[in-house]
Amino acid sequence: IGNPTIVMPLGLLVPLCIFWGVVFATGENVDSMRQQGWLFVEIGNEPFWWVWTDSIGKYGSINFSAWARTLPDLAVFIIVSTMDCVLKIHATESKLPLKPDSDKEAFKFGCFNYILAACGAATGYMQLKFNVISYGVMRNARDRRAGMMYALLCAACYFSTVEHFNYLPKLFLSALLFFAGAGFVTDNMWG
């Protein structure tokens, strides 16, 4: 619906501007909105190196019995995550004008997931809906600028601060979460 280059940023920024416009027009402030439950509890920024110094580097602080109890869930997660990744790669052929090498792409995702795990992050692989949005914005399937911009924004959050999330309303974050999860439901569980 419309030009994604304009619609996507507006779809993200307009609700935030309306929310904060109403907040300040009614004489409220950030603290009162937090007390009323519109915002999550404020989180502080932690240095990125604490992943290694305060968790992995301190074996005495690790509850290995709790970790061992999660191993069955981890095994299921690895299987589901791998299957979903491969299914997304295969679905790319039907949605975009390119034919990815499934083995090569899955291997790349696996290698980078080891790097993500070493940095304390969740696993990651491409999401078809974001590839389709990128294709709509860039007008070709070979352009790498969207991925580079995404990587730069992730690196900026990782190495600097995440405190800007303190100013995003719960409703906005829940809508983003719904958008992220709806693709999985429609791609894999719908009729």
Side-chain angles (χ1 to χ4, degrees):
I1 302 174
N3 183 352
T5 310
I6 297 168
V7 173
M8 291 301 292
L10 288 178
L12 293 171
L13 296 176
V14 168
L16 288 175
C17 291
I18 291 171
F19 175 81
W20 287 111
V22 169
V23 167
F24 294 125
T26 57
E28 299 286 346
N29 60 31
V30 175
D31 293 328
S32 66
M33 296 310 289
R34 199 172 308 283
Q35 289 171 353
Q36 293 175 33
W38 287 95
L39 303 174
F40 284 106
V41 175
E42 190 168 356
I43 57 169
N45 193 51
E46 305 292 348
F48 69 90
W49 57 84
W50 280 14
V51 170
W52 299 290
T53 60
D54 284 10
S55 62
I56 298 171
K58 291 187 177 176
Y59 292 108
S61 299
I62 298 173
N63 184 344
F64 284 101
S65 63
W67 175 76
R69 286 194 303 269
T70 66
L71 289 178
D73 295 330
L74 179 63
V76 170
F77 171 75
I78 290 171
I79 292 167
V80 170
S81 180
T82 303
M83 286 175 48
D84 190 41
C85 175
V86 172
L87 288 171
K88 294 281 196 281
I89 293 169
H90 285 294
T92 300
E93 297 174 20
S94 64
K95 300 282 185 183
L96 298 174
L98 58 92
K99 182 166 176 41
D101 180 356
S102 299
D103 294 337
K104 184 177 169 186
E105 294 297 320
F107 180 76
K108 283 183 202 175
F109 287 123
C111 290
F112 282 103
N113 279 330
Y114 282 112
I115 296 169
L116 289 172
C119 293
T123 61
Y125 50 89
M126 66 96 179
Q127 296 293 311
L128 185 57
K129 65 177 165 267
F130 296 127
N131 288 353
V132 172
I133 291 169
S134 177
Y135 177 71
V137 170
M138 303 304 238
R139 304 281 190 231
N140 71 65
R142 302 274 179 212
D143 203 320
R144 302 285 186 230
R145 286 179 291 175
M148 287 185 260
M149 180 61 73
Y150 176 73
L152 288 173
L153 290 172
C154 286
C157 285
Y158 185 77
F159 291 112
S160 64
T161 184
V162 294
E163 292 192 23
H164 53 277
F165 285 102
N166 289 322
Y167 304 102
L168 297 176
K170 287 180 179 179
L171 185 62
F172 178 77
L173 293 172
S174 64
L176 290 179
L177 183 62
F178 177 79
F179 176 72
F184 177 79
V185 172
T186 58
D187 289 346
N188 298 307
M189 302 174 84
W190 197 266

